[in-house]
Amino acid sequence: MTKTTGSGTYGDGVAVVTVTYSPGRTLERFIETLAKSTTRQLRVVLADNGSTDGTPELAAERDGVVLVRMGENLGYGAAANKVVFGLDDSVGWVVVANPDLEWGSDALDRLLEATERWPAAATFGPLITDPHGAVYPSARSLPTLGSGIGHALFARLWPANPWTRAYRQEDVEPAERTTGWLSGSCLLLRREAFEAVQGFDPRYFMYFEDVDLGDRLGRAGWLNVYVPSAQVMHVGGHATTRVSRRMLATHHASAYRYLTDRYPGSCWKPILAAVRLGLAVRLRMASRAPDPHTTTAVARDLR
């Protein structure tokens, strides 16, 4: 397959972009542990979508940290795009990551080392754990209409169903390998490739922007590479927990958009209509959960 490449020539500088929305104290740990993850000189850019807790402003007092206010809540992908597209040409590598991550020792250096082994790769993703040490399946197959329906219907009721196992690749040993897509909670991007496909699709306010990116990069001839020797810990969404029911609705809307983008023909409309109805029913059931952390977990597990 012929690779689609950008027209620009970039240096080997590294920038770290994190999208903030009242991230709380997690941002402090993100920056502190990031410093221990690499020996490279970094610039850290906070793409702020309208924080009101003051933490991005405090973080920007550190050397090497810059705050860029979006002026409104643009969503995850659009805010990341705005910063990445505005970087100077000395930056050839960009990390896009959630602010509620803690970096493992040498994690970013290990991701950067993998770029030398995979010159045809556009994205590199680490092994991601939760605070209890459980590994999150962050390197997955691209969803098809069949696997997407099976996963959506049975993931919560029958976690070991074959569609979910195949999609989440939970039975695959955590070895360095190519994959369909990588979790956008922590991605090292080859800027040339990212800009060649116009970055994240801004129509995805949140969720599935990473799935969509992995698919479009693959179609353009690039690879997505899982690098489990690099490890990070995902503490959990401070901002999304406060609006988890809204985020669950956003998740379902993004899932439907992804499928309709991939199956545009009129012959698919009856099936997509059934999918839309099923998503609406599932959203109503999940939204009845009294604990906002529960709805956040539902959105995470249905990924």
Side-chain angles (χ1 to χ4, degrees), residues 61-76:
E61 295 177 2
R62 294 172 177 258
D63 291 339
V65 180
V66 177
L67 173 62
V68 179
R69 293 184 174 89
M70 299 296 104
E72 59 180 316
N73 192 349
L74 300 180
Y76 190 80

PDB file of all heavy atoms in Angstrom, residues 61-76:
ATOM      1  N   GLU A  61       3.416  27.370  35.387  1.00  0.00           N
ATOM      2  CA  GLU A  61       4.497  28.096  36.043  1.00  0.00           C
ATOM      3  C   GLU A  61       5.807  27.309  36.011  1.00  0.00           C
ATOM      4  O   GLU A  61       6.877  27.864  36.294  1.00  0.00           O
ATOM      5  CB  GLU A  61       4.108  28.396  37.493  1.00  0.00           C
ATOM      6  CG  GLU A  61       2.918  29.349  37.620  1.00  0.00           C
ATOM      7  CD  GLU A  61       2.504  29.564  39.062  1.00  0.00           C
ATOM      8  OE1 GLU A  61       3.171  28.989  39.958  1.00  0.00           O
ATOM      9  OE2 GLU A  61       1.521  30.296  39.299  1.00  0.00           O
ATOM     10  N   ARG A  62       5.736  26.037  35.660  1.00  0.00           N
ATOM     11  CA  ARG A  62       6.951  25.216  35.568  1.00  0.00           C
ATOM     12  C   ARG A  62       7.705  25.538  34.291  1.00  0.00           C
ATOM     13  O   ARG A  62       7.108  25.894  33.262  1.00  0.00           O
ATOM     14  CB  ARG A  62       6.582  23.719  35.561  1.00  0.00           C
ATOM     15  CG  ARG A  62       5.960  23.201  36.852  1.00  0.00           C
ATOM     16  CD  ARG A  62       5.462  21.780  36.644  1.00  0.00           C
ATOM     17  NE  ARG A  62       4.913  21.196  37.842  1.00  0.00           N
ATOM     18  CZ  ARG A  62       5.536  20.317  38.628  1.00  0.00           C
ATOM     19  NH1 ARG A  62       6.786  19.954  38.322  1.00  0.00           N
ATOM     20  NH2 ARG A  62       4.956  19.814  39.688  1.00  0.00           N
ATOM     21  N   ASP A  63       9.004  25.361  34.330  1.00  0.00           N
ATOM     22  CA  ASP A  63       9.818  25.532  33.127  1.00  0.00           C
ATOM     23  C   ASP A  63       9.424  24.480  32.089  1.00  0.00           C
ATOM     24  O   ASP A  63       9.257  23.302  32.411  1.00  0.00           O
ATOM     25  CB  ASP A  63      11.302  25.379  33.465  1.00  0.00           C
ATOM     26  CG  ASP A  63      11.817  26.527  34.310  1.00  0.00           C
ATOM     27  OD1 ASP A  63      11.182  27.599  34.308  1.00  0.00           O
ATOM     28  OD2 ASP A  63      12.863  26.336  34.979  1.00  0.00           O
ATOM     29  N   GLY A  64       9.304  24.919  30.854  1.00  0.00           N
ATOM     30  CA  GLY A  64       9.026  23.997  29.765  1.00  0.00           C
ATOM     31  C   GLY A  64       7.568  23.640  29.586  1.00  0.00           C
ATOM     32  O   GLY A  64       7.232  22.824  28.721  1.00  0.00           O
ATOM     33  N   VAL A  65       6.677  24.231  30.393  1.00  0.00           N
ATOM     34  CA  VAL A  65       5.245  23.948  30.289  1.00  0.00           C
ATOM     35  C   VAL A  65       4.532  25.203  29.803  1.00  0.00           C
ATOM     36  O   VAL A  65       4.700  26.286  30.363  1.00  0.00           O
ATOM     37  CB  VAL A  65       4.648  23.503  31.641  1.00  0.00           C
ATOM     38  CG1 VAL A  65       3.151  23.226  31.501  1.00  0.00           C
ATOM     39  CG2 VAL A  65       5.376  22.259  32.157  1.00  0.00           C
ATOM     40  N   VAL A  66       3.744  25.048  28.750  1.00  0.00           N
ATOM     41  CA  VAL A  66       3.034  26.173  28.137  1.00  0.00           C
ATOM     42  C   VAL A  66       1.541  25.894  28.175  1.00  0.00           C
ATOM     43  O   VAL A  66       1.092  24.780  27.875  1.00  0.00           O
ATOM     44  CB  VAL A  66       3.487  26.384  26.673  1.00  0.00           C
ATOM     45  CG1 VAL A  66       2.692  27.498  26.017  1.00  0.00           C
ATOM     46  CG2 VAL A  66       4.984  26.679  26.622  1.00  0.00           C
ATOM     47  N   LEU A  67       0.764  26.891  28.530  1.00  0.00           N
ATOM     48  CA  LEU A  67      -0.694  26.783  28.559  1.00  0.00           C
ATOM     49  C   LEU A  67      -1.268  27.478  27.327  1.00  0.00           C
ATOM     50  O   LEU A  67      -0.986  28.640  27.066  1.00  0.00           O
ATOM     51  CB  LEU A  67      -1.248  27.428  29.829  1.00  0.00           C
ATOM     52  CG  LEU A  67      -2.768  27.549  29.950  1.00  0.00           C
ATOM     53  CD1 LEU A  67      -3.431  26.177  29.950  1.00  0.00           C
ATOM     54  CD2 LEU A  67      -3.134  28.322  31.217  1.00  0.00           C
ATOM     55  N   VAL A  68      -2.071  26.738  26.569  1.00  0.00           N
ATOM     56  CA  VAL A  68      -2.760  27.298  25.402  1.00  0.00           C
ATOM     57  C   VAL A  68      -4.253  27.130  25.633  1.00  0.00           C
ATOM     58  O   VAL A  68      -4.758  26.004  25.687  1.00  0.00           O
ATOM     59  CB  VAL A  68      -2.346  26.597  24.098  1.00  0.00           C
ATOM     60  CG1 VAL A  68      -3.111  27.192  22.912  1.00  0.00           C
ATOM     61  CG2 VAL A  68      -0.849  26.705  23.872  1.00  0.00           C
ATOM     62  N   ARG A  69      -4.948  28.232  25.800  1.00  0.00           N
ATOM     63  CA  ARG A  69      -6.390  28.188  26.052  1.00  0.00           C
ATOM     64  C   ARG A  69      -7.145  28.070  24.733  1.00  0.00           C
ATOM     65  O   ARG A  69      -6.930  28.864  23.807  1.00  0.00           O
ATOM     66  CB  ARG A  69      -6.839  29.424  26.821  1.00  0.00           C
ATOM     67  CG  ARG A  69      -6.291  29.486  28.249  1.00  0.00           C
ATOM     68  CD  ARG A  69      -6.857  30.690  29.003  1.00  0.00           C
ATOM     69  NE  ARG A  69      -6.450  30.672  30.409  1.00  0.00           N
ATOM     70  CZ  ARG A  69      -5.351  31.217  30.876  1.00  0.00           C
ATOM     71  NH1 ARG A  69      -4.509  31.815  30.038  1.00  0.00           N
ATOM     72  NH2 ARG A  69      -5.065  31.158  32.171  1.00  0.00           N
ATOM     73  N   MET A  70      -8.068  27.119  24.683  1.00  0.00           N
ATOM     74  CA  MET A  70      -8.857  26.903  23.482  1.00  0.00           C
ATOM     75  C   MET A  70      -9.977  27.936  23.343  1.00  0.00           C
ATOM     76  O   MET A  70     -10.515  28.136  22.263  1.00  0.00           O
ATOM     77  CB  MET A  70      -9.467  25.496  23.488  1.00  0.00           C
ATOM     78  CG  MET A  70      -8.443  24.368  23.507  1.00  0.00           C
ATOM     79  SD  MET A  70      -7.409  24.297  22.027  1.00  0.00           S
ATOM     80  CE  MET A  70      -5.862  24.984  22.651  1.00  0.00           C
ATOM     81  N   GLY A  71     -10.379  28.559  24.445  1.00  0.00           N
ATOM     82  CA  GLY A  71     -11.455  29.529  24.419  1.00  0.00           C
ATOM     83  C   GLY A  71     -12.827  28.925  24.622  1.00  0.00           C
ATOM     84  O   GLY A  71     -13.783  29.632  24.951  1.00  0.00           O
ATOM     85  N   GLU A  72     -12.927  27.628  24.434  1.00  0.00           N
ATOM     86  CA  GLU A  72     -14.163  26.876  24.650  1.00  0.00           C
ATOM     87  C   GLU A  72     -13.793  25.403  24.718  1.00  0.00           C
ATOM     88  O   GLU A  72     -12.633  25.031  24.495  1.00  0.00           O
ATOM     89  CB  GLU A  72     -15.154  27.119  23.511  1.00  0.00           C
ATOM     90  CG  GLU A  72     -14.610  26.718  22.138  1.00  0.00           C
ATOM     91  CD  GLU A  72     -15.596  26.970  21.022  1.00  0.00           C
ATOM     92  OE1 GLU A  72     -16.788  26.634  21.209  1.00  0.00           O
ATOM     93  OE2 GLU A  72     -15.186  27.506  19.971  1.00  0.00           O
ATOM     94  N   ASN A  73     -14.761  24.553  25.024  1.00  0.00           N
ATOM     95  CA  ASN A  73     -14.495  23.116  25.073  1.00  0.00           C
ATOM     96  C   ASN A  73     -14.633  22.537  23.670  1.00  0.00           C
ATOM     97  O   ASN A  73     -15.745  22.261  23.204  1.00  0.00           O
ATOM     98  CB  ASN A  73     -15.460  22.427  26.042  1.00  0.00           C
ATOM     99  CG  ASN A  73     -15.028  20.994  26.338  1.00  0.00           C
ATOM    100  OD1 ASN A  73     -14.138  20.455  25.676  1.00  0.00           O
ATOM    101  ND2 ASN A  73     -15.641  20.384  27.333  1.00  0.00           N
ATOM    102  N   LEU A  74     -13.500  22.360  23.009  1.00  0.00           N
ATOM    103  CA  LEU A  74     -13.494  21.868  21.635  1.00  0.00           C
ATOM    104  C   LEU A  74     -13.620  20.356  21.542  1.00  0.00           C
ATOM    105  O   LEU A  74     -13.863  19.822  20.459  1.00  0.00           O
ATOM    106  CB  LEU A  74     -12.189  22.285  20.932  1.00  0.00           C
ATOM    107  CG  LEU A  74     -11.909  23.779  20.812  1.00  0.00           C
ATOM    108  CD1 LEU A  74     -10.589  23.987  20.087  1.00  0.00           C
ATOM    109  CD2 LEU A  74     -13.037  24.496  20.090  1.00  0.00           C
ATOM    110  N   GLY A  75     -13.456  19.666  22.670  1.00  0.00           N
ATOM    111  CA  GLY A  75     -13.355  18.221  22.616  1.00  0.00           C
ATOM    112  C   GLY A  75     -11.904  17.794  22.564  1.00  0.00           C
ATOM    113  O   GLY A  75     -10.992  18.617  22.378  1.00  0.00           O
ATOM    114  N   TYR A  76     -11.673  16.494  22.722  1.00  0.00           N
ATOM    115  CA  TYR A  76     -10.304  15.979  22.854  1.00  0.00           C
ATOM    116  C   TYR A  76      -9.498  16.135  21.569  1.00  0.00           C
ATOM    117  O   TYR A  76      -8.432  16.760  21.551  1.00  0.00           O
ATOM    118  CB  TYR A  76     -10.362  14.508  23.271  1.00  0.00           C
ATOM    119  CG  TYR A  76      -9.030  13.931  23.677  1.00  0.00           C
ATOM    120  CD1 TYR A  76      -8.511  14.171  24.944  1.00  0.00           C
ATOM    121  CD2 TYR A  76      -8.293  13.132  22.809  1.00  0.00           C
ATOM    122  CE1 TYR A  76      -7.288  13.638  25.333  1.00  0.00           C
ATOM    123  CE2 TYR A  76      -7.079  12.596  23.183  1.00  0.00           C
ATOM    124  CZ  TYR A  76      -6.577  12.845  24.450  1.00  0.00           C
ATOM    125  OH  TYR A  76      -5.371  12.318  24.826  1.00  0.00           O
TER     126      TYR A  76
END
